[in-house]
Amino acid sequence: MAVTADAPLVTEGEPSLAEQVASRRWYHTIRLSDEVTSPGWMDTEKAAPSMPWPGDLTGKRCLDVGTFDGAWAFEMERRGAGEVLAIDILDEDRWDWPPIVDPASRAGIDAQKGQGRGFAIAKRALASNVERRDASIYDLNPAEFGTFDLVFVGSLLLHLRDPILALSRVATVTDGSLIVSDALSARTTLTSPLSPTFDLDGVGRPYWWKPNLAGLRHMVKISGFRPVTRCEPFLMPPGPGHPRPPLSQAVRSRTGWELIRSSRLGDPHARIRAVRTSEP
Ligand SMILES: C[S@@+](CC[C@H](N)C(=O)[O-])C[C@H]1O[C@@H](n2cnc3c(N)ncnc32)[C@H](O)[C@@H]1O
């Protein structure tokens, strides 16, 4: 499937920003104008201030990996970054799917992703200079992408079969800091707080390793980084676009319980900032 990263928006008889925003499902909650905020699945507006930013980003070169609607890329630009590159894979066939795929899960992801249109709407509304490029985290290398003062990897490691390889590729393009904000296993964080422990999914959907707090920190370290903040748990707040299934769904399946939890409380995540080491 060939996909154009930044297809131009319709100009003749163009719908208003509010209409464009209402015409699709959003993953990110982004304030696009005084009147219009995208109704995201996750409330990235609320989560942004507590990310472990390394301070002033003025003039910095930043990379957002797996950008989706672009919230973190636009946030880095808002914080003064001189150049922001956002990469993502627009063709979902190239994601790390498990061998057996659940068609309902696949259709749900297709509908939400919508070929990255949200990013294009947001970029235009914000008059942003963020450049989006269709590339995988596994493709990162300094010869092709250069190096970055700050790399943001958000809610992506969970979806990768090989998150250590992916983070090692990130290390090759990181000159300054890395921020990782990713899904956390609350259960193993409580039951085995000291040992790096990972829940493994890989059933039906592109969900793989979910670490406990010690596990996420360990992943970052063995990929070639030195943590400079603690690995801090938090709940990624649900946005106005998050479905709110009835509580009865919680007992039907694990995904039902996860949806109830993330719609009512938020999705267990952890955030950490690290710098590259010469040796892991
Ligand atoms: C759950 S969303 C997270 C979006 C955003 N980074 C955040 O923190 O909210 C996962 C994103 O990663 C992208 N993705 C999946 N596999 C990828 C890969 N191998 N390389 C780069 N992006 C990938 C998906 O297309 C999707 O946009």
Side-chain angles (χ1 to χ4, degrees):
M1 190 192 326
V3 177
T4 313
D6 290 315
L9 294 172
V10 179
T11 45
E12 257 185 41
E14 188 177 43
S16 68
L17 175 61
E19 288 166 333
Q20 291 176 44
V21 167
S23 72
R24 66 181 316 281
R25 284 164 62 184
W26 290 79
Y27 188 70
H28 290 150
T29 303
I30 308 172
R31 191 161 186 271
L32 299 172
S33 72
D34 287 347
E35 295 81 29
V36 181
T37 296
S38 61
W41 183 287
M42 296 302 177
D43 195 337
T44 33
E45 283 283 310
K46 209 182 262 177
S50 342
M51 284 298 160
W53 302 110
D56 188 12
L57 294 186
T58 304
K60 304 286 189 201
R61 183 163 195 257
C62 300
L63 172 68
D64 180 30
V65 185
T67 197
F68 211 135
D69 294 327
W72 300 118
F74 300 128
E75 177 66 19
M76 291 190 282
E77 186 177 53
R78 197 185 67 76
R79 287 173 178 266
E83 183 188 341
V84 182
L85 177 67
I87 65 166
D88 205 335
I89 294 185
L90 297 182
D91 176 0
E92 293 122 25
D93 286 345
R94 287 165 41 225
W95 289 359
D96 283 358
W97 291 91
I100 299 168
V101 175
D102 168 24
S105 154
R106 173 73 208 233
I109 289 174
D110 276 355
Q112 188 172 39
K113 186 84 180 168
Q115 296 304 299
R117 183 82 172 147
F119 178 93
I121 295 172
K123 174 175 162 141
R124 185 167 173 205
L126 296 169
S128 163
N129 289 318
V130 172
E131 182 205 336
R132 182 173 56 179
R133 187 160 159 189
D134 191 344
S136 166
I137 190 169
Y138 298 118
D139 296 336
L140 289 171
N141 68 82
E144 217 180 317
F145 292 85
T147 57
F148 298 88
D149 300 301
L150 174 62
V151 181
F152 195 104
V153 179
S155 305
L156 169 57
L157 299 178
L158 168 72
H159 301 298
L160 301 176
R161 190 182 288 112
D162 194 338
I164 310 291
L165 175 64
L167 280 179
S168 307
R169 294 277 152 78
V170 171
T172 68
V173 298
T174 307
D175 247 355
S177 306
L178 163 73
I179 294 176
V180 173
S181 160
D182 224 282
L184 178 75
S185 165
R187 184 182 63 82
T188 54
T189 293
L190 292 172
T191 57
S192 55
L194 298 180
S195 345
T197 308
F198 299 82
D199 291 343
L200 176 59
D201 189 329
V203 179
R205 55 189 189 159
Y207 284 51
W208 295 93
W209 307 96
K210 201 185 267 190
N212 63 356
L213 265 190
L216 185 61
R217 186 181 153 85
H218 192 60
M219 274 163 91
V220 166
K221 278 179 78 171
I222 62 173
S223 304
F225 293 93
R226 178 172 57 81
V228 294
T229 65
R230 74 186 187 94
C231 193
E232 185 188 30
F234 73 103
L235 289 167
M236 181 63 79
H242 200 302
R244 274 180 74 87
L247 289 174
S248 58
Q249 197 167 313
V251 289
R252 291 211 196 113
S253 65
R254 185 188 44 173
T255 44
W257 154 241
E258 285 170 358
L259 259 184
I260 297 288
R261 183 181 57 188
S262 63
S263 65
R264 275 27 180 220
L265 304 172
D267 196 36
H269 266 57
R271 52 197 168 207
I272 185 170
R273 176 155 51 87
V275 293
R276 197 180 71 176
T277 49
S278 44
E279 44 179 15

